[in-house]
Amino acid sequence: MQEQVAINLAPYKERVSRARVIKPIGQVTRVIGLMIEVQGIIARIGEVCDIVVQDAAPVKAEVVGFRDRHSLLMPLGELRGIYPGSAVVPTGRQLTVKVGRHLLGKVLDGLGRPFNAAADEPGEDFPVDNRPPQPLQRQRIQTVLPTGVRAVDGLLTCGRGQRMGIFAGSGVGKSTLLGMIARHGSADVNVIGLIGERGREVLEFLEEDLGPAGLAKSVIVAATSDQPALVRLKGAFVATAIAEYFRDQGLDVMLLMDSVTRFAMAQREVGLAVGEPPATKGYTPSVFALLPRLLERSGMGQRGSVTAFYTVLVDGDDLNEPIADAVRGILDGHIVLTRRLAAANHYPAIDVLQSVSRLMPELAAEEHKARAGLLRDLLATYNQAEDLINIGAYVKGSNPKIDEAIEKHDSIIRFLKQTPSEYSSYEETLNQLAALAGRG
């Protein structure tokens, strides 16, 4: 009987041993840039602290490192009001977000707080920083997820629980493509993270790209470019945590994040502030350690799924720059948008010859794969002979393959073009693909 009591009390004894009976209060000794140096506290990496300021609510900050027995904090808000000697109180908790069905249709800030809402929001606290599902506990991806975009469903078929990257330069149509996928996709819930975006683009995205129908089944997390680096970082993790919550309810979730590049830039700011060396084109080593921690959290779980589309803003349209290269190696496929197609008024500006879905060979039917392969072949043939065709140097009948590519080129381009408001069901896309391949 005594042994049984001891066993039952064991977890409580452990909690008591870890409990802090007296909370040490520290003070701010120095502020350099966004880095706050504090002495006199005992706090873990990732713990949130309150910095007391006069005539205002406490400034929340997170412990990001240590230096010479001082704790290094970065603010989760404005630095205004902090002075030398400001009291710093550790909360003993990491950042959490209130989750629940009440979030649908709402816009949250980078810390998961709804805009224009009361402080006492309903819902349960859910940790922002979670581990990815164990590899052996993930379900396999076996079901096609229609997006309503012909170029994607026809030639870059995605699966439920797949993670895709959308790679493009600025102003080529990444946000518009995300809006089309969110509005037309067949997921139960959309979670959209706008990380480091311009402030004016948030409302623009909601009203023009997403629309009322898309917003009704979506949760938006917006951490704009004027927010502190740590808030932009947390915005990406908050969006991912909300998607994980809905996945754990057994739902199929679509996670759309724009953009991973600005997430990496925020982590570079944090890394440089705590003294990390700039390693690859100015990016610190922690950036490349943090990317898989973020991207691996989406995908299949034991119940439900998170199908993710991450945009990557490529510097100077260079698809081999460090962040684009690292992200492409982690994800399950990439969709490349090119400025050449956008300049020719071809929207969405998807270059299907540079794009690939790594799971399409496993998910698509044999006839579907054969027809998609034929279209790719015809496009590649036309591109190779385009200069000869344009200057009139190609003589019809010289090459049957080029003749077929010329004959079907306009039809293929019409198939790949799609206006933002146009919806194409998966069956409709496959029927058009079959007709183009000449086998329908």
Side-chain angles (χ1 to χ4, degrees), residues 62 64 74 195 229-230 232-234 237 260-274 276 282-291 293 323:
E62 184 177 296
V64 295
M74 289 199 78
I195 311 302
L230 202 57
R232 281 176 273 142
L233 268 183
K234 293 302 177 186
F237 286 119
V260 173
T261 307
R262 293 195 173 105
F263 167 83
M265 289 176 174
Q267 177 57 28
R268 177 173 62 184
E269 286 183 46
V270 174
L272 291 173
V274 297
E276 276 192 89
Y283 288 101
T284 57
S286 63
V287 172
F288 301 98
L290 201 61
L291 282 173
R293 275 185 52 200
I323 299 303

PDB file of all heavy atoms in Angstrom, residues 62 64 74 195 229-230 232-234 237 260-274 276 282-291 293 323:
ATOM      1  N   GLU A  62      11.268  37.651 -24.815  1.00  0.00           N
ATOM      2  CA  GLU A  62      11.618  36.228 -24.740  1.00  0.00           C
ATOM      3  C   GLU A  62      13.120  36.071 -24.575  1.00  0.00           C
ATOM      4  O   GLU A  62      13.908  36.806 -25.183  1.00  0.00           O
ATOM      5  CB  GLU A  62      11.164  35.503 -26.002  1.00  0.00           C
ATOM      6  CG  GLU A  62      11.414  34.005 -25.962  1.00  0.00           C
ATOM      7  CD  GLU A  62      10.897  33.302 -27.195  1.00  0.00           C
ATOM      8  OE1 GLU A  62       9.674  33.310 -27.429  1.00  0.00           O
ATOM      9  OE2 GLU A  62      11.725  32.735 -27.949  1.00  0.00           O
ATOM     10  N   VAL A  64      16.504  34.676 -25.403  1.00  0.00           N
ATOM     11  CA  VAL A  64      17.067  34.080 -26.624  1.00  0.00           C
ATOM     12  C   VAL A  64      18.526  33.661 -26.453  1.00  0.00           C
ATOM     13  O   VAL A  64      19.099  33.010 -27.323  1.00  0.00           O
ATOM     14  CB  VAL A  64      16.941  35.045 -27.826  1.00  0.00           C
ATOM     15  CG1 VAL A  64      15.481  35.285 -28.166  1.00  0.00           C
ATOM     16  CG2 VAL A  64      17.653  36.370 -27.555  1.00  0.00           C
ATOM     17  N   MET A  74      14.770  39.396 -26.286  1.00  0.00           N
ATOM     18  CA  MET A  74      14.299  40.183 -27.433  1.00  0.00           C
ATOM     19  C   MET A  74      12.819  40.475 -27.230  1.00  0.00           C
ATOM     20  O   MET A  74      12.071  39.618 -26.738  1.00  0.00           O
ATOM     21  CB  MET A  74      14.534  39.447 -28.748  1.00  0.00           C
ATOM     22  CG  MET A  74      16.004  39.370 -29.134  1.00  0.00           C
ATOM     23  SD  MET A  74      16.262  39.012 -30.876  1.00  0.00           S
ATOM     24  CE  MET A  74      15.953  40.604 -31.626  1.00  0.00           C
ATOM     25  N   ILE A 195       3.768  36.561 -43.207  1.00  0.00           N
ATOM     26  CA  ILE A 195       4.947  36.836 -42.390  1.00  0.00           C
ATOM     27  C   ILE A 195       5.839  37.861 -43.080  1.00  0.00           C
ATOM     28  O   ILE A 195       6.358  37.603 -44.176  1.00  0.00           O
ATOM     29  CB  ILE A 195       5.756  35.538 -42.127  1.00  0.00           C
ATOM     30  CG1 ILE A 195       4.828  34.417 -41.637  1.00  0.00           C
ATOM     31  CG2 ILE A 195       6.895  35.809 -41.159  1.00  0.00           C
ATOM     32  CD1 ILE A 195       4.060  34.735 -40.383  1.00  0.00           C
ATOM     33  N   ALA A 229      11.579  41.565 -35.066  1.00  0.00           N
ATOM     34  CA  ALA A 229      11.992  40.309 -35.706  1.00  0.00           C
ATOM     35  C   ALA A 229      11.414  39.091 -34.995  1.00  0.00           C
ATOM     36  O   ALA A 229      10.982  38.126 -35.632  1.00  0.00           O
ATOM     37  CB  ALA A 229      13.517  40.227 -35.740  1.00  0.00           C
ATOM     38  N   LEU A 230      11.383  39.140 -33.653  1.00  0.00           N
ATOM     39  CA  LEU A 230      10.899  37.987 -32.897  1.00  0.00           C
ATOM     40  C   LEU A 230       9.402  37.766 -33.116  1.00  0.00           C
ATOM     41  O   LEU A 230       8.932  36.623 -33.128  1.00  0.00           O
ATOM     42  CB  LEU A 230      11.188  38.183 -31.408  1.00  0.00           C
ATOM     43  CG  LEU A 230      11.244  36.902 -30.568  1.00  0.00           C
ATOM     44  CD1 LEU A 230      12.278  35.935 -31.103  1.00  0.00           C
ATOM     45  CD2 LEU A 230      11.533  37.232 -29.115  1.00  0.00           C
ATOM     46  N   ARG A 232       7.795  38.460 -35.930  1.00  0.00           N
ATOM     47  CA  ARG A 232       7.681  37.837 -37.251  1.00  0.00           C
ATOM     48  C   ARG A 232       8.019  36.349 -37.187  1.00  0.00           C
ATOM     49  O   ARG A 232       7.358  35.522 -37.816  1.00  0.00           O
ATOM     50  CB  ARG A 232       8.598  38.554 -38.239  1.00  0.00           C
ATOM     51  CG  ARG A 232       8.020  39.870 -38.755  1.00  0.00           C
ATOM     52  CD  ARG A 232       8.990  40.592 -39.648  1.00  0.00           C
ATOM     53  NE  ARG A 232       9.909  41.443 -38.877  1.00  0.00           N
ATOM     54  CZ  ARG A 232      11.187  41.603 -39.156  1.00  0.00           C
ATOM     55  NH1 ARG A 232      11.740  40.949 -40.169  1.00  0.00           N
ATOM     56  NH2 ARG A 232      11.931  42.395 -38.420  1.00  0.00           N
ATOM     57  N   LEU A 233       9.041  36.020 -36.401  1.00  0.00           N
ATOM     58  CA  LEU A 233       9.386  34.607 -36.207  1.00  0.00           C
ATOM     59  C   LEU A 233       8.233  33.855 -35.565  1.00  0.00           C
ATOM     60  O   LEU A 233       7.830  32.773 -36.014  1.00  0.00           O
ATOM     61  CB  LEU A 233      10.612  34.488 -35.287  1.00  0.00           C
ATOM     62  CG  LEU A 233      12.003  34.428 -35.890  1.00  0.00           C
ATOM     63  CD1 LEU A 233      13.011  34.231 -34.779  1.00  0.00           C
ATOM     64  CD2 LEU A 233      12.110  33.300 -36.892  1.00  0.00           C
ATOM     65  N   LYS A 234       7.699  34.416 -34.486  1.00  0.00           N
ATOM     66  CA  LYS A 234       6.627  33.752 -33.749  1.00  0.00           C
ATOM     67  C   LYS A 234       5.374  33.627 -34.604  1.00  0.00           C
ATOM     68  O   LYS A 234       4.599  32.685 -34.450  1.00  0.00           O
ATOM     69  CB  LYS A 234       6.307  34.512 -32.455  1.00  0.00           C
ATOM     70  CG  LYS A 234       7.428  34.475 -31.427  1.00  0.00           C
ATOM     71  CD  LYS A 234       7.786  33.052 -31.041  1.00  0.00           C
ATOM     72  CE  LYS A 234       8.949  32.999 -30.078  1.00  0.00           C
ATOM     73  NZ  LYS A 234       9.383  31.611 -29.827  1.00  0.00           N
ATOM     74  N   PHE A 237       5.435  30.378 -36.346  1.00  0.00           N
ATOM     75  CA  PHE A 237       5.207  29.258 -35.429  1.00  0.00           C
ATOM     76  C   PHE A 237       3.761  29.235 -34.917  1.00  0.00           C
ATOM     77  O   PHE A 237       3.192  28.166 -34.702  1.00  0.00           O
ATOM     78  CB  PHE A 237       6.189  29.336 -34.254  1.00  0.00           C
ATOM     79  CG  PHE A 237       7.586  28.952 -34.615  1.00  0.00           C
ATOM     80  CD1 PHE A 237       8.637  29.851 -34.493  1.00  0.00           C
ATOM     81  CD2 PHE A 237       7.872  27.680 -35.085  1.00  0.00           C
ATOM     82  CE1 PHE A 237       9.928  29.491 -34.833  1.00  0.00           C
ATOM     83  CE2 PHE A 237       9.159  27.306 -35.419  1.00  0.00           C
ATOM     84  CZ  PHE A 237      10.193  28.214 -35.292  1.00  0.00           C
ATOM     85  N   VAL A 260       8.506  32.235 -46.413  1.00  0.00           N
ATOM     86  CA  VAL A 260       9.556  31.598 -45.624  1.00  0.00           C
ATOM     87  C   VAL A 260      10.835  32.439 -45.658  1.00  0.00           C
ATOM     88  O   VAL A 260      11.602  32.469 -44.688  1.00  0.00           O
ATOM     89  CB  VAL A 260       9.837  30.177 -46.160  1.00  0.00           C
ATOM     90  CG1 VAL A 260      11.038  29.551 -45.472  1.00  0.00           C
ATOM     91  CG2 VAL A 260       8.620  29.297 -45.950  1.00  0.00           C
ATOM     92  N   THR A 261      11.067  33.148 -46.753  1.00  0.00           N
ATOM     93  CA  THR A 261      12.276  33.975 -46.864  1.00  0.00           C
ATOM     94  C   THR A 261      12.292  35.061 -45.801  1.00  0.00           C
ATOM     95  O   THR A 261      13.325  35.313 -45.166  1.00  0.00           O
ATOM     96  CB  THR A 261      12.355  34.611 -48.263  1.00  0.00           C
ATOM     97  OG1 THR A 261      12.240  33.583 -49.243  1.00  0.00           O
ATOM     98  CG2 THR A 261      13.662  35.352 -48.450  1.00  0.00           C
ATOM     99  N   ARG A 262      11.141  35.697 -45.556  1.00  0.00           N
ATOM    100  CA  ARG A 262      11.104  36.763 -44.544  1.00  0.00           C
ATOM    101  C   ARG A 262      11.184  36.172 -43.138  1.00  0.00           C
ATOM    102  O   ARG A 262      11.659  36.832 -42.216  1.00  0.00           O
ATOM    103  CB  ARG A 262       9.848  37.610 -44.738  1.00  0.00           C
ATOM    104  CG  ARG A 262       9.920  38.399 -46.072  1.00  0.00           C
ATOM    105  CD  ARG A 262       8.894  39.510 -46.134  1.00  0.00           C
ATOM    106  NE  ARG A 262       9.115  40.325 -47.313  1.00  0.00           N
ATOM    107  CZ  ARG A 262       8.363  40.290 -48.408  1.00  0.00           C
ATOM    108  NH1 ARG A 262       7.351  39.448 -48.473  1.00  0.00           N
ATOM    109  NH2 ARG A 262       8.618  41.064 -49.438  1.00  0.00           N
ATOM    110  N   PHE A 263      10.707  34.941 -42.966  1.00  0.00           N
ATOM    111  CA  PHE A 263      10.920  34.216 -41.701  1.00  0.00           C
ATOM    112  C   PHE A 263      12.419  34.020 -41.478  1.00  0.00           C
ATOM    113  O   PHE A 263      12.936  34.246 -40.374  1.00  0.00           O
ATOM    114  CB  PHE A 263      10.192  32.871 -41.772  1.00  0.00           C
ATOM    115  CG  PHE A 263      10.570  31.896 -40.692  1.00  0.00           C
ATOM    116  CD1 PHE A 263       9.990  31.961 -39.436  1.00  0.00           C
ATOM    117  CD2 PHE A 263      11.508  30.900 -40.936  1.00  0.00           C
ATOM    118  CE1 PHE A 263      10.337  31.050 -38.439  1.00  0.00           C
ATOM    119  CE2 PHE A 263      11.859  29.990 -39.956  1.00  0.00           C
ATOM    120  CZ  PHE A 263      11.282  30.077 -38.705  1.00  0.00           C
ATOM    121  N   ALA A 264      13.138  33.612 -42.530  1.00  0.00           N
ATOM    122  CA  ALA A 264      14.591  33.400 -42.425  1.00  0.00           C
ATOM    123  C   ALA A 264      15.316  34.717 -42.151  1.00  0.00           C
ATOM    124  O   ALA A 264      16.290  34.758 -41.380  1.00  0.00           O
ATOM    125  CB  ALA A 264      15.125  32.757 -43.711  1.00  0.00           C
ATOM    126  N   MET A 265      14.850  35.797 -42.760  1.00  0.00           N
ATOM    127  CA  MET A 265      15.471  37.111 -42.519  1.00  0.00           C
ATOM    128  C   MET A 265      15.277  37.543 -41.065  1.00  0.00           C
ATOM    129  O   MET A 265      16.175  38.139 -40.462  1.00  0.00           O
ATOM    130  CB  MET A 265      14.867  38.156 -43.459  1.00  0.00           C
ATOM    131  CG  MET A 265      15.275  38.003 -44.911  1.00  0.00           C
ATOM    132  SD  MET A 265      14.427  39.205 -45.966  1.00  0.00           S
ATOM    133  CE  MET A 265      15.228  38.894 -47.548  1.00  0.00           C
ATOM    134  N   ALA A 266      14.105  37.245 -40.499  1.00  0.00           N
ATOM    135  CA  ALA A 266      13.856  37.585 -39.092  1.00  0.00           C
ATOM    136  C   ALA A 266      14.800  36.802 -38.184  1.00  0.00           C
ATOM    137  O   ALA A 266      15.353  37.357 -37.227  1.00  0.00           O
ATOM    138  CB  ALA A 266      12.404  37.287 -38.746  1.00  0.00           C
ATOM    139  N   GLN A 267      14.995  35.512 -38.470  1.00  0.00           N
ATOM    140  CA  GLN A 267      15.912  34.717 -37.654  1.00  0.00           C
ATOM    141  C   GLN A 267      17.351  35.196 -37.827  1.00  0.00           C
ATOM    142  O   GLN A 267      18.140  35.150 -36.882  1.00  0.00           O
ATOM    143  CB  GLN A 267      15.802  33.233 -38.027  1.00  0.00           C
ATOM    144  CG  GLN A 267      16.765  32.318 -37.290  1.00  0.00           C
ATOM    145  CD  GLN A 267      16.629  32.397 -35.770  1.00  0.00           C
ATOM    146  OE1 GLN A 267      15.558  32.693 -35.254  1.00  0.00           O
ATOM    147  NE2 GLN A 267      17.714  32.135 -35.053  1.00  0.00           N
ATOM    148  N   ARG A 268      17.688  35.695 -39.012  1.00  0.00           N
ATOM    149  CA  ARG A 268      19.033  36.254 -39.219  1.00  0.00           C
ATOM    150  C   ARG A 268      19.237  37.473 -38.319  1.00  0.00           C
ATOM    151  O   ARG A 268      20.308  37.624 -37.708  1.00  0.00           O
ATOM    152  CB  ARG A 268      19.223  36.649 -40.688  1.00  0.00           C
ATOM    153  CG  ARG A 268      20.575  37.304 -40.975  1.00  0.00           C
ATOM    154  CD  ARG A 268      20.787  37.533 -42.457  1.00  0.00           C
ATOM    155  NE  ARG A 268      19.808  38.431 -43.043  1.00  0.00           N
ATOM    156  CZ  ARG A 268      19.746  38.728 -44.334  1.00  0.00           C
ATOM    157  NH1 ARG A 268      20.600  38.162 -45.179  1.00  0.00           N
ATOM    158  NH2 ARG A 268      18.837  39.556 -44.799  1.00  0.00           N
ATOM    159  N   GLU A 269      18.210  38.325 -38.204  1.00  0.00           N
ATOM    160  CA  GLU A 269      18.308  39.483 -37.311  1.00  0.00           C
ATOM    161  C   GLU A 269      18.545  39.051 -35.872  1.00  0.00           C
ATOM    162  O   GLU A 269      19.381  39.616 -35.161  1.00  0.00           O
ATOM    163  CB  GLU A 269      17.021  40.312 -37.385  1.00  0.00           C
ATOM    164  CG  GLU A 269      16.855  41.133 -38.647  1.00  0.00           C
ATOM    165  CD  GLU A 269      15.594  41.977 -38.602  1.00  0.00           C
ATOM    166  OE1 GLU A 269      15.348  42.620 -37.563  1.00  0.00           O
ATOM    167  OE2 GLU A 269      14.843  41.976 -39.593  1.00  0.00           O
ATOM    168  N   VAL A 270      17.781  38.023 -35.433  1.00  0.00           N
ATOM    169  CA  VAL A 270      17.940  37.526 -34.063  1.00  0.00           C
ATOM    170  C   VAL A 270      19.324  36.937 -33.870  1.00  0.00           C
ATOM    171  O   VAL A 270      20.007  37.206 -32.870  1.00  0.00           O
ATOM    172  CB  VAL A 270      16.852  36.470 -33.743  1.00  0.00           C
ATOM    173  CG1 VAL A 270      17.105  35.837 -32.384  1.00  0.00           C
ATOM    174  CG2 VAL A 270      15.464  37.104 -33.786  1.00  0.00           C
ATOM    175  N   GLY A 271      19.773  36.124 -34.823  1.00  0.00           N
ATOM    176  CA  GLY A 271      21.085  35.482 -34.719  1.00  0.00           C
ATOM    177  C   GLY A 271      22.221  36.483 -34.658  1.00  0.00           C
ATOM    178  O   GLY A 271      23.143  36.352 -33.839  1.00  0.00           O
ATOM    179  N   LEU A 272      22.173  37.488 -35.522  1.00  0.00           N
ATOM    180  CA  LEU A 272      23.233  38.505 -35.520  1.00  0.00           C
ATOM    181  C   LEU A 272      23.220  39.296 -34.213  1.00  0.00           C
ATOM    182  O   LEU A 272      24.275  39.672 -33.695  1.00  0.00           O
ATOM    183  CB  LEU A 272      23.056  39.446 -36.714  1.00  0.00           C
ATOM    184  CG  LEU A 272      23.319  38.838 -38.103  1.00  0.00           C
ATOM    185  CD1 LEU A 272      22.933  39.818 -39.200  1.00  0.00           C
ATOM    186  CD2 LEU A 272      24.785  38.428 -38.257  1.00  0.00           C
ATOM    187  N   ALA A 273      22.015  39.549 -33.664  1.00  0.00           N
ATOM    188  CA  ALA A 273      21.918  40.319 -32.424  1.00  0.00           C
ATOM    189  C   ALA A 273      22.534  39.592 -31.240  1.00  0.00           C
ATOM    190  O   ALA A 273      23.085  40.225 -30.337  1.00  0.00           O
ATOM    191  CB  ALA A 273      20.452  40.655 -32.134  1.00  0.00           C
ATOM    192  N   VAL A 274      22.441  38.251 -31.219  1.00  0.00           N
ATOM    193  CA  VAL A 274      23.022  37.502 -30.088  1.00  0.00           C
ATOM    194  C   VAL A 274      24.474  37.119 -30.339  1.00  0.00           C
ATOM    195  O   VAL A 274      25.086  36.438 -29.515  1.00  0.00           O
ATOM    196  CB  VAL A 274      22.199  36.222 -29.765  1.00  0.00           C
ATOM    197  CG1 VAL A 274      20.802  36.581 -29.333  1.00  0.00           C
ATOM    198  CG2 VAL A 274      22.190  35.252 -30.935  1.00  0.00           C
ATOM    199  N   GLU A 276      25.870  35.624 -33.342  1.00  0.00           N
ATOM    200  CA  GLU A 276      26.213  34.552 -34.288  1.00  0.00           C
ATOM    201  C   GLU A 276      26.994  35.125 -35.466  1.00  0.00           C
ATOM    202  O   GLU A 276      26.720  36.245 -35.914  1.00  0.00           O
ATOM    203  CB  GLU A 276      24.934  33.902 -34.824  1.00  0.00           C
ATOM    204  CG  GLU A 276      24.342  32.826 -33.955  1.00  0.00           C
ATOM    205  CD  GLU A 276      23.257  32.067 -34.722  1.00  0.00           C
ATOM    206  OE1 GLU A 276      23.604  31.088 -35.397  1.00  0.00           O
ATOM    207  OE2 GLU A 276      22.097  32.477 -34.646  1.00  0.00           O
ATOM    208  N   GLY A 282      25.427  36.052 -45.533  1.00  0.00           N
ATOM    209  CA  GLY A 282      24.894  36.859 -44.441  1.00  0.00           C
ATOM    210  C   GLY A 282      23.949  36.129 -43.525  1.00  0.00           C
ATOM    211  O   GLY A 282      23.591  36.650 -42.465  1.00  0.00           O
ATOM    212  N   TYR A 283      23.497  34.935 -43.897  1.00  0.00           N
ATOM    213  CA  TYR A 283      22.592  34.166 -43.033  1.00  0.00           C
ATOM    214  C   TYR A 283      23.391  33.419 -41.975  1.00  0.00           C
ATOM    215  O   TYR A 283      24.426  32.813 -42.266  1.00  0.00           O
ATOM    216  CB  TYR A 283      21.760  33.172 -43.855  1.00  0.00           C
ATOM    217  CG  TYR A 283      20.704  33.830 -44.699  1.00  0.00           C
ATOM    218  CD1 TYR A 283      20.890  34.040 -46.066  1.00  0.00           C
ATOM    219  CD2 TYR A 283      19.514  34.266 -44.129  1.00  0.00           C
ATOM    220  CE1 TYR A 283      19.925  34.654 -46.840  1.00  0.00           C
ATOM    221  CE2 TYR A 283      18.532  34.890 -44.898  1.00  0.00           C
ATOM    222  CZ  TYR A 283      18.750  35.075 -46.249  1.00  0.00           C
ATOM    223  OH  TYR A 283      17.790  35.696 -47.013  1.00  0.00           O
ATOM    224  N   THR A 284      22.872  33.444 -40.749  1.00  0.00           N
ATOM    225  CA  THR A 284      23.565  32.796 -39.634  1.00  0.00           C
ATOM    226  C   THR A 284      23.242  31.294 -39.619  1.00  0.00           C
ATOM    227  O   THR A 284      22.231  30.865 -40.179  1.00  0.00           O
ATOM    228  CB  THR A 284      23.115  33.419 -38.304  1.00  0.00           C
ATOM    229  OG1 THR A 284      21.692  33.296 -38.198  1.00  0.00           O
ATOM    230  CG2 THR A 284      23.497  34.887 -38.235  1.00  0.00           C
ATOM    231  N   PRO A 285      24.103  30.472 -38.967  1.00  0.00           N
ATOM    232  CA  PRO A 285      23.851  29.021 -38.939  1.00  0.00           C
ATOM    233  C   PRO A 285      22.490  28.648 -38.349  1.00  0.00           C
ATOM    234  O   PRO A 285      21.877  27.662 -38.767  1.00  0.00           O
ATOM    235  CB  PRO A 285      24.988  28.495 -38.053  1.00  0.00           C
ATOM    236  CG  PRO A 285      26.076  29.503 -38.187  1.00  0.00           C
ATOM    237  CD  PRO A 285      25.395  30.820 -38.348  1.00  0.00           C
ATOM    238  N   SER A 286      21.972  29.441 -37.385  1.00  0.00           N
ATOM    239  CA  SER A 286      20.695  29.101 -36.761  1.00  0.00           C
ATOM    240  C   SER A 286      19.539  29.146 -37.755  1.00  0.00           C
ATOM    241  O   SER A 286      18.522  28.467 -37.559  1.00  0.00           O
ATOM    242  CB  SER A 286      20.406  30.040 -35.592  1.00  0.00           C
ATOM    243  OG  SER A 286      20.280  31.377 -36.046  1.00  0.00           O
ATOM    244  N   VAL A 287      19.671  29.940 -38.835  1.00  0.00           N
ATOM    245  CA  VAL A 287      18.609  30.007 -39.849  1.00  0.00           C
ATOM    246  C   VAL A 287      18.388  28.630 -40.461  1.00  0.00           C
ATOM    247  O   VAL A 287      17.256  28.147 -40.585  1.00  0.00           O
ATOM    248  CB  VAL A 287      18.967  31.037 -40.949  1.00  0.00           C
ATOM    249  CG1 VAL A 287      17.964  30.969 -42.095  1.00  0.00           C
ATOM    250  CG2 VAL A 287      19.010  32.448 -40.372  1.00  0.00           C
ATOM    251  N   PHE A 288      19.490  27.974 -40.825  1.00  0.00           N
ATOM    252  CA  PHE A 288      19.388  26.682 -41.505  1.00  0.00           C
ATOM    253  C   PHE A 288      19.027  25.560 -40.533  1.00  0.00           C
ATOM    254  O   PHE A 288      18.547  24.512 -40.948  1.00  0.00           O
ATOM    255  CB  PHE A 288      20.698  26.383 -42.237  1.00  0.00           C
ATOM    256  CG  PHE A 288      21.046  27.442 -43.250  1.00  0.00           C
ATOM    257  CD1 PHE A 288      21.937  28.460 -42.946  1.00  0.00           C
ATOM    258  CD2 PHE A 288      20.425  27.470 -44.485  1.00  0.00           C
ATOM    259  CE1 PHE A 288      22.244  29.453 -43.860  1.00  0.00           C
ATOM    260  CE2 PHE A 288      20.702  28.458 -45.410  1.00  0.00           C
ATOM    261  CZ  PHE A 288      21.610  29.456 -45.098  1.00  0.00           C
ATOM    262  N   ALA A 289      19.248  25.783 -39.236  1.00  0.00           N
ATOM    263  CA  ALA A 289      18.793  24.814 -38.225  1.00  0.00           C
ATOM    264  C   ALA A 289      17.304  24.988 -37.948  1.00  0.00           C
ATOM    265  O   ALA A 289      16.600  24.017 -37.643  1.00  0.00           O
ATOM    266  CB  ALA A 289      19.587  24.996 -36.936  1.00  0.00           C
ATOM    267  N   LEU A 290      16.796  26.241 -38.062  1.00  0.00           N
ATOM    268  CA  LEU A 290      15.405  26.522 -37.728  1.00  0.00           C
ATOM    269  C   LEU A 290      14.445  26.156 -38.857  1.00  0.00           C
ATOM    270  O   LEU A 290      13.285  25.805 -38.595  1.00  0.00           O
ATOM    271  CB  LEU A 290      15.246  28.006 -37.380  1.00  0.00           C
ATOM    272  CG  LEU A 290      14.025  28.401 -36.535  1.00  0.00           C
ATOM    273  CD1 LEU A 290      14.067  27.693 -35.186  1.00  0.00           C
ATOM    274  CD2 LEU A 290      13.975  29.909 -36.337  1.00  0.00           C
ATOM    275  N   LEU A 291      14.898  26.227 -40.109  1.00  0.00           N
ATOM    276  CA  LEU A 291      14.007  25.946 -41.247  1.00  0.00           C
ATOM    277  C   LEU A 291      13.373  24.558 -41.163  1.00  0.00           C
ATOM    278  O   LEU A 291      12.144  24.431 -41.268  1.00  0.00           O
ATOM    279  CB  LEU A 291      14.758  26.126 -42.575  1.00  0.00           C
ATOM    280  CG  LEU A 291      14.949  27.570 -43.043  1.00  0.00           C
ATOM    281  CD1 LEU A 291      15.852  27.620 -44.261  1.00  0.00           C
ATOM    282  CD2 LEU A 291      13.600  28.203 -43.373  1.00  0.00           C
ATOM    283  N   ARG A 293      12.928  22.756 -38.534  1.00  0.00           N
ATOM    284  CA  ARG A 293      12.068  22.718 -37.339  1.00  0.00           C
ATOM    285  C   ARG A 293      10.690  23.284 -37.640  1.00  0.00           C
ATOM    286  O   ARG A 293       9.691  22.834 -37.077  1.00  0.00           O
ATOM    287  CB  ARG A 293      12.710  23.515 -36.205  1.00  0.00           C
ATOM    288  CG  ARG A 293      13.716  22.727 -35.375  1.00  0.00           C
ATOM    289  CD  ARG A 293      14.216  23.542 -34.209  1.00  0.00           C
ATOM    290  NE  ARG A 293      13.141  24.094 -33.401  1.00  0.00           N
ATOM    291  CZ  ARG A 293      13.268  25.125 -32.587  1.00  0.00           C
ATOM    292  NH1 ARG A 293      14.440  25.734 -32.462  1.00  0.00           N
ATOM    293  NH2 ARG A 293      12.238  25.558 -31.875  1.00  0.00           N
ATOM    294  N   ILE A 323      18.520  30.293 -49.170  1.00  0.00           N
ATOM    295  CA  ILE A 323      17.244  29.925 -48.555  1.00  0.00           C
ATOM    296  C   ILE A 323      16.414  29.069 -49.506  1.00  0.00           C
ATOM    297  O   ILE A 323      15.845  28.038 -49.116  1.00  0.00           O
ATOM    298  CB  ILE A 323      16.454  31.182 -48.127  1.00  0.00           C
ATOM    299  CG1 ILE A 323      17.257  31.975 -47.088  1.00  0.00           C
ATOM    300  CG2 ILE A 323      15.100  30.798 -47.570  1.00  0.00           C
ATOM    301  CD1 ILE A 323      17.630  31.190 -45.843  1.00  0.00           C
TER     302      ILE A 323
END
